Amino acid sequence: MPLSADFSRASTSLPPKKSVAVLDRLLQENEELRARQTHLESRRAKDTTTPWHPTSISNDEGETSGTQILEQSDWFTHTKTSDTPIWIGEISDAAFATRFRQFACCSQTPSHIPRTQFASDDTISALAISTPAGPSPARAKLLVETALQFLRHSYHIVRRSEVLSMLNTGYLDQSNPSARAKMWALFAIGELRLGRCLSSSNELPGLAYFAVASDAMRMLNERPQLDVIETILLLILSALYSLEANRRHSACTFMGSALRLSTVMGLHVNIGDAYIPDPKIREHRIRVWWSVYILDRVLSAKTGLPLLISDDDISVDLPSRNSDLNSEDFGNEKHLVTVVRLAKIAGNISRSLYVRTPQRGTFLQRVEKIREELSSWKEQLPDYVKHDFDQAGEGDEYPQPVNLTLQLSFNQLFILATRPVLLFVFRQHVGEVITTSTDRALPDHARDIADACIRSARQSCRLLSQSWINGDFGIFDYSYVQYLFSAAIILAIAGTLGRETSQGDIDEFNLAAGFLQQLEKNGNLAAMEFCSHIEETKLTLEALRSANYPQRRLSTSNNVGPQPSESLHSSFIDQSSSIAGSNEIRHVLHNADGSPLSLSFLDDWIYDNALQQLCWQEQ
């Protein structure tokens, strides 16, 4: 099935009878663009030295006004290890944790904690000078099998039969440096997945193998050969290891090189039988491409860096199955397609909710669109996966590891899409004056979005706790550590809202913090970074308690003014309730009388206040 069938594009041909309606729509869009341009020019005219201050919002403001997510100026952090400021993506979990602490303290200036816990360049350079001794045949097979088991869940990077054949024929063959480096990369990932603590030399497991593998990529061919695909695979493997080593910028650089090489080779488009008659090689190319695509979207959702290729530029078929493919080399194509479609939503979140370029509709409308996409993705799951999703975390039911990863990835994307609204709800709860209107009620649909965000975080914490109990939680698994930290910060916010469930949320936050501290002791570099944020968050929560922070119910559209502490919504108490479906999503976009809601109340708060010109200095 070609990508154009799954990622549909608008047709340029229209029936004559619709031409008038189309013309009217074009004229309307033209007026909207003119109004948006005027809005942008007025923002540019503002004095950038003006201190941070709340921005008034008109109730009569149109629903498409204020579509710019961030202020004109990007924001950076200075570190002692770099001679240039480092760009920070607002989508990152560390940035969100900093925002929460900033607003909890009613501070105009955020106090960010720079990322300094990662394998250093000097260490990797020193290890690359001398080639490490290869593992014994038995150890080598164990490492490769471990790496392949990890990779086949979400990626297709190498063919298992070829890798095992290389092990038997001599993987240290000097005549094929690319293949040899690929084996070193597999050893590195295998060591990392098997590792339970740092090595005897206090290094990350597999770091010596990774150093040699990454050093082998200094020379790139000008003309792409079929063997160059091994270089692409090596770049992907290096990106994955870099991510596990908390070297996110290196991971993105490796990923960028892999994607550019892939497009040079034409992996993003279909190739005919006449050019490559072997169906196995053709399918291998297809699946390698989609692995590159998945990792590009995943990294963008983690760091906020722009997507490296648009969906409109991709026309290659999705992974498929035919009688010529063996299951040893080509895994479940349905599962890989499911991951591809989830990665597409991750790209949509990064591109529509965390960018400065003007977007159609208000912020909340774009959030609702992402929720609809996630709901649709969930409905299209294969039956064997959907059962695990429906029962995840309920009673004694526990998903299969491969489906658990999907569930956690889904929850993380839902949290990414909805947590800015939760932050707004928290901001309202703090009582800081955000608008010039003192009687503005919190819209019901904003409250519902915030509640759904909290439910997703609760479910992730339950699943990760059970994963820890079952022994499925990898000590050096970056994604699981990230999901745990992301959910913990959401629960910390939920614990401040003065609800009947708040104490339970604080308890879950402390439990997640304990897991992160244990991972920190075991040498997980990402956990070291996140624990510094956790400690600051604990201090923030303690400061709120010490100040006898008022616990009151938020004003809603049906309830204006302070109320006694109680649950905002009955469904919020039920931790097992599922995320709202598409029918509920459409319902909350209207008032009780059926009139459309103005969804622009959140935009100016985000554009002018929440994300305005940050100057984060290293502590």
Side-chain angles (χ1 to χ4, degrees):
M1 180 174 61
L3 183 68
S4 57
D6 191 55
F7 302 162
S8 59
R9 305 175 185 175
S11 173
T12 57
S13 60
L14 293 170
K17 64 181 180 180
K18 294 184 179 180
S19 59
V20 175
V22 170
L23 181 58
D24 290 340
R25 191 178 69 221
L26 289 175
L27 290 173
Q28 180 183 357
E29 291 177 354
N30 187 44
E31 290 299 322
E32 291 175 355
L33 288 173
R34 287 185 178 182
R36 184 179 303 165
Q37 182 63 28
T38 302
H39 180 69
L40 294 178
E41 290 174 353
S42 64
R43 286 180 179 272
R44 294 190 186 101
K46 288 182 179 180
D47 183 3
T48 57
T49 63
T50 301
W52 181 94
H53 59 85
T55 302
S56 60
I57 303 175
S58 171
N59 287 328
D60 298 329
E61 188 174 355
E63 288 192 359
T64 57
S65 63
T67 55
Q68 192 178 355
I69 291 294
L70 307 179
E71 269 297 308
Q72 294 296 318
S73 298
D74 288 273
W75 45 277
F76 298 81
T77 180
H78 290 280
T79 65
K80 296 177 181 177
T81 56
S82 176
D83 58 1
T84 183
I86 304 299
W87 180 83
I88 302 295
E90 193 76 30
I91 197 173
S92 69
D93 297 294
F96 182 77
T98 300
R99 284 296 182 204
F100 164 56
R101 298 197 306 272
Q102 175 192 0
F103 293 150
C105 299
C106 300
S107 172
Q108 296 183 9
T109 305
S111 179
H112 185 59
I113 305 172
R115 176 176 58 94
T116 59
Q117 303 85 355
F118 53 85
S120 69
D121 298 337
D122 292 340
T123 299
I124 294 176
S125 298
L127 291 172
I129 295 176
S130 59
T131 302
S136 66
R139 180 69 177 179
K141 185 174 182 180
L142 174 64
L143 295 177
V144 168
E145 291 283 11
T146 301
L148 293 177
Q149 182 66 22
F150 163 67
L151 295 172
R152 72 182 288 117
H153 285 338
S154 301
Y155 309 96
H156 173 96
I157 297 180
V158 293
R159 295 169 66 178
R160 185 173 184 274
S161 60
E162 290 185 354
V163 172
L164 295 181
S165 176
M166 289 171 59
L167 279 177
N168 296 329
T169 57
Y171 56 86
L172 297 179
D173 183 6
Q174 298 294 328
S175 63
N176 193 344
S178 179
R180 188 175 71 254
K182 184 168 60 177
M183 293 302 300
W184 289 121
L186 286 170
F187 291 160
I189 291 179
E191 288 282 11
L192 197 63
R193 303 304 300 180
L194 288 174
R196 294 294 180 267
C197 60
L198 298 179
S199 66
S200 57
S201 56
N202 205 34
E203 294 170 354
L204 202 65
L207 189 62
Y209 293 144
F210 167 75
V212 175
S214 58
D215 189 61
M217 294 179 296
R218 291 176 296 177
M219 185 66 182
L220 298 178
N221 298 331
E222 169 60 24
R223 292 293 184 185
Q225 308 292 331
L226 195 57
D227 289 344
V228 175
I229 200 169
E230 293 188 346
T231 304
I232 298 173
L233 303 177
L234 182 57
L235 288 165
I236 302 174
L237 293 172
S238 297
L240 287 169
Y241 187 92
S242 295
L243 190 61
E244 302 292 335
N246 208 32
R247 292 174 56 89
R248 295 197 284 272
H249 293 157
S250 296
C252 292
T253 301
F254 284 129
M255 190 61 251
S257 299
L259 192 141
R260 185 54 65 198
L261 272 176
S262 299
T263 53
V264 167
M265 293 184 64
L267 299 188
H268 63 303
V269 298
N270 284 319
I271 188 167
D273 299 0
Y275 294 99
I276 300 182
D278 190 338
K280 295 180 181 178
I281 296 179
R282 289 200 307 274
E283 184 64 20
H284 184 48
R285 285 169 54 98
I286 290 172
R287 296 195 181 200
V288 166
W289 164 257
W290 287 116
S291 296
V292 173
Y293 176 91
I294 291 168
L295 197 51
D296 172 47
R297 266 52 183 175
V298 167
L299 287 173
S300 179
K302 292 180 186 297
T303 64
L305 290 173
L307 304 179
L308 296 178
I309 188 170
S310 169
D311 290 335
D312 293 336
D313 295 325
I314 304 170
S315 59
V316 67
D317 292 342
L318 289 167
S320 61
R321 168 72 58 183
N322 61 63
S323 58
D324 295 317
L325 307 179
N326 61 73
S327 58
E328 181 184 22
D329 288 342
F330 299 93
N332 188 331
E333 76 285 356
K334 293 181 180 179
H335 185 84
L336 186 56
V337 170
T338 297
V339 177
V340 168
R341 288 176 172 152
L342 190 60
K344 180 181 185 296
I345 299 175
N348 292 344
I349 292 173
S350 177
R351 183 180 57 190
S352 66
L353 300 182
Y354 292 92
V355 293
R356 284 180 170 77
T357 54
Q359 302 291 315
R360 179 179 294 277
T362 65
F363 183 81
L364 274 182
Q365 287 173 329
R366 298 197 296 277
V367 170
E368 296 293 354
K369 185 176 186 298
I370 294 297
R371 291 181 68 186
E372 288 182 342
E373 291 177 4
L374 287 169
S375 179
S376 176
W377 176 88
K378 190 174 179 180
E379 288 301 318
Q380 296 175 27
L381 285 173
D383 291 339
Y384 69 94
V385 179
K386 189 178 297 185
H387 175 268
D388 272 357
F389 262 63
D390 293 339
Q391 304 298 323
E394 300 300 331
D396 296 331
E397 293 286 343
Y398 181 72
Q400 296 295 321
V402 60
N403 296 337
L404 172 63
T405 301
L406 266 184
Q407 177 73 73
L408 291 170
S409 299
F410 173 89
N411 287 357
Q412 175 64 11
L413 293 184
F414 192 92
I415 289 171
L416 285 180
T418 57
R419 68 186 181 187
V421 181
L422 174 63
L423 194 62
F424 176 80
V425 170
F426 171 75
R427 189 81 161 90
Q428 290 280 71
H429 188 64
V430 168
E432 183 79 6
V433 177
I434 297 174
T435 69
T436 57
S437 174
T438 58
D439 59 349
R440 176 179 294 275
L442 181 68
D444 288 340
H445 62 281
R447 181 198 60 190
D448 293 339
I449 291 173
D451 287 355
C453 179
I454 295 172
R455 290 197 297 269
S456 290
R458 287 172 176 165
Q459 186 184 59
S460 288
C461 274
R462 289 198 302 272
L463 291 174
L464 288 166
S465 297
Q466 190 63 45
S467 174
W468 188 283
I469 295 170
N470 293 358
D472 297 330
F473 197 121
I475 297 298
F476 295 101
D477 191 318
Y478 176 86
S479 293
Y480 276 29
V481 173
Q482 179 208 3
Y483 299 156
L484 185 62
F485 173 69
S486 175
I489 296 300
I490 298 299
L491 294 179
I493 297 176
T496 67
L497 298 181
R499 303 173 174 180
E500 294 178 0
T501 52
S502 292
Q503 186 56 51
D505 290 328
I506 290 295
D507 292 342
E508 289 295 323
F509 164 77
N510 289 327
L511 180 64
F515 287 146
L516 288 170
Q517 289 168 353
Q518 181 61 55
L519 292 166
E520 179 187 26
K521 293 177 181 178
N522 283 47
N524 187 297
L525 296 172
M528 294 178 187
E529 173 195 356
F530 294 145
C531 275
S532 60
H533 288 274
I534 288 292
E535 292 305 314
E536 290 297 320
T537 300
K538 286 182 177 180
L539 293 176
T540 299
L541 295 176
E542 182 60 32
L544 290 176
R545 286 193 294 267
S546 299
N548 194 23
Y549 181 68
Q551 303 296 309
R552 60 179 178 82
R553 179 177 178 177
L554 281 172
S555 300
T556 67
S557 58
N558 296 321
N559 177 34
V560 180
Q563 298 292 330
S565 174
E566 60 183 25
S567 174
L568 284 180
H569 199 276
S570 58
S571 64
F572 183 73
I573 301 176
D574 183 7
Q575 296 186 11
S576 66
S577 33
S578 59
I579 297 170
S582 57
N583 290 335
E584 294 173 311
I585 292 170
R586 285 188 290 270
H587 174 72
V588 298
L589 294 178
H590 295 81
N591 286 310
D593 60 359
S595 61
L597 278 171
S598 175
L599 303 180
S600 59
F601 75 98
L602 184 62
D603 292 276
D604 280 354
W605 174 76
I606 291 177
Y607 308 148
D608 293 329
N609 300 338
L611 313 179
Q612 185 182 26
Q613 299 183 21
L614 304 183
C615 298
W616 288 355
Q617 303 289 332
E618 184 175 11
Q619 302 299 315

